[in-house]
């Protein structure tokens, strides 16, 4: 059986990591049986989650997980899509993963109030005397990653402006369609759902969340994806699960 290594549900989200959520939804889309394990971070082959283990093979990174599933189980997440749609799907995915993601990291990890509301809870299991050492150290690591990626060199106002542009692009492309490319979900929906839910997450206060909330179609989209892939959940990211 396939094991997906996760952080575990948090903040009203299937997982605090949109990459883990993406991988989980992709696995749900396959219909294959799999289990999740929230204890594998220390053994992560690339120092990040998600990764999967299947028949003794470990595959790290949500995109490589997708490609592995496609090849090994002969699955095409984009069945029925044109080459043009596949190209658009890839571009939107990478916009979310390599651009919007960093605006979310800034909002959750660098903004002090959001940090206290969210990521600070990850450290609750640490012995209390270690927290004042570990928390600033990990936040410094995140700040350095943001700086190296480039997003962290902008002011908060500029970061928010960039993030909102991505959110608007997703909302405008989705339009009135039930899913990103029409009546049925495809691979890109796993990613769009994960990142839009992450942005709408009511645990965090941000102008980016306010902007996402102004798009009714995004809230309905998250509810629709929740109804299909998390049928046991009444709501995800504050969006009522409804088909
Ligand atoms: N490109 C990777 C990104 C995964 C990623 O950034 N995971 C983050 C959580 S959102 C992580 O595990 N970070 C831990 C760390 O950097 O120490 C993918 O698509 O899976």
């Amino acid at each position: 059986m396939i094991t997906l290594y996760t952080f575990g549900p948090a903040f009203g989200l299937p997982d605090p990591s949109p990459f883990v959520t993406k991988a989980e939804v992709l696995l749900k889309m396959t219909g294959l049986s799999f289990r999740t394990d929230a204890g594998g971070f220390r053994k992560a082959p690339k120092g990040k989650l998600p990764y999967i283990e299947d028949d003794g093979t470990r595959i790290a990174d949500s995109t490589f997980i997708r490609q592995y599933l496609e090849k090994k189980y002969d699955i095409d997440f984009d069945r029925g899509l044109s080459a043009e749609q596949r190209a658009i799907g890839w571009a939107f995915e990478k916009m979310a993963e390599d651009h919007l993601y960093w605006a979310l990291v800034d909002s959750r990890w660098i903004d002090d109030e959001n940090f206290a509301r969210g990521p600070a809870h990850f450290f609750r299991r640490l012995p209390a005397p270690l927290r004042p050492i570990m928390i600033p150290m990990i936040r410094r690591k995140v700040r350095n990653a943001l700086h190296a990626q480039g997003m962290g060199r902008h002011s908060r106002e500029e970061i928010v402006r960039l993030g909102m542009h991505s959110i608007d692009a997703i909302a405008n492309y989705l339009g009135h369609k039930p899913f990103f490319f029409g009546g049925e979900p495809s691979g890109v929906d796993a990613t769009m759902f994960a990142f839009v839910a992450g942005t709408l997450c009511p645990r965090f206060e941000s102008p980016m969340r306010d902007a996402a909330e102004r798009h009714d179609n995004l809230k309905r989209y998250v509810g629709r994806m929740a109804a299909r892939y998390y049928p046991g959940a009444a709501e995800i990211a504050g969006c009522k699960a409804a088909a």
Side-chain angles (χ1 to χ4, degrees):
M1 157 140 28
I2 299 172
T3 302
L4 170 68
Y5 292 93
T6 69
F7 292 101
F11 318 144
L13 297 168
D15 197 278
S17 162
F19 296 100
V20 171
T21 304
K22 166 191 167 185
E24 183 170 70
V25 172
L26 285 171
L27 277 161
K28 286 171 183 254
M29 284 175 170
T30 67
L32 295 166
S33 56
F34 71 98
R35 64 185 198 97
T36 57
D37 183 335
F41 182 63
R42 288 223 184 96
K43 290 195 199 137
K46 294 183 182 174
K48 290 187 181 220
L49 294 182
Y51 66 98
I52 60 165
E53 211 165 287
D54 183 26
D55 268 344
T57 309
R58 290 194 304 168
I59 299 99
D61 191 288
S62 63
T63 299
F64 290 130
I65 291 171
R66 171 179 170 158
Q67 291 176 354
Y68 170 85
L69 294 172
E70 289 181 317
K71 194 157 177 230
K72 167 130 193 219
Y73 296 99
D74 196 21
I75 288 157
D76 182 359
F77 289 102
D78 291 346
R79 203 178 49 244
L81 299 188
S82 67
E84 185 181 341
Q85 287 173 315
R86 288 168 191 253
I88 292 169
W90 174 263
F92 266 100
E93 263 192 50
K94 295 308 151 194
M95 177 190 77
E97 296 178 356
D98 296 333
H99 191 77
L100 177 59
Y101 172 67
W102 293 103
L104 286 175
V105 170
D106 176 77
S107 157
R108 289 188 194 177
W109 283 82
I110 307 303
D111 180 292
D112 288 328
E113 285 172 15
N114 279 339
F115 179 79
R117 289 186 189 107
H121 294 267
F122 300 149
F123 300 93
R124 268 183 315 195
R125 269 188 247 129
L126 273 184
L130 280 184
R131 288 181 211 154
I133 302 160
M134 290 300 288
I135 294 178
M137 199 181 90
I138 302 288
R139 284 187 87 188
R140 208 173 312 119
K141 198 183 127 196
V142 173
R143 200 183 292 276
N144 289 343
L146 271 158
H147 189 79
Q149 192 271 344
M151 191 64 86
R153 293 162 200 247
H154 304 313
S155 68
R156 168 73 33 79
E157 190 270 324
E158 287 170 331
I159 293 173
V160 162
R161 210 180 327 144
L162 292 172
M164 279 163 57
H165 218 78
S166 294
I167 286 293
D168 290 347
I170 295 169
N172 291 338
Y173 193 84
L174 178 65
H176 297 296
K177 302 189 291 297
F179 299 102
F180 214 61
F181 287 122
E184 284 304 317
S186 55
V188 70
D189 287 292
T191 310
M192 292 303 112
F193 163 70
F195 282 86
V196 172
T199 309
L200 282 168
C201 180
R203 175 68 67 99
F204 304 104
E205 302 283 341
S206 81
M208 244 164 42
R209 178 187 138 201
D210 299 341
E213 278 182 341
R214 284 195 288 274
H215 290 291
D216 248 6
N217 65 338
L218 289 184
K219 289 189 279 181
R220 286 199 307 273
Y221 174 67
V222 168
R224 195 174 302 123
M225 288 290 287
R228 188 172 285 223
Y229 296 107
Y230 295 91
E235 58 172 51
I236 285 182
C239 305
K240 273 206 173 47

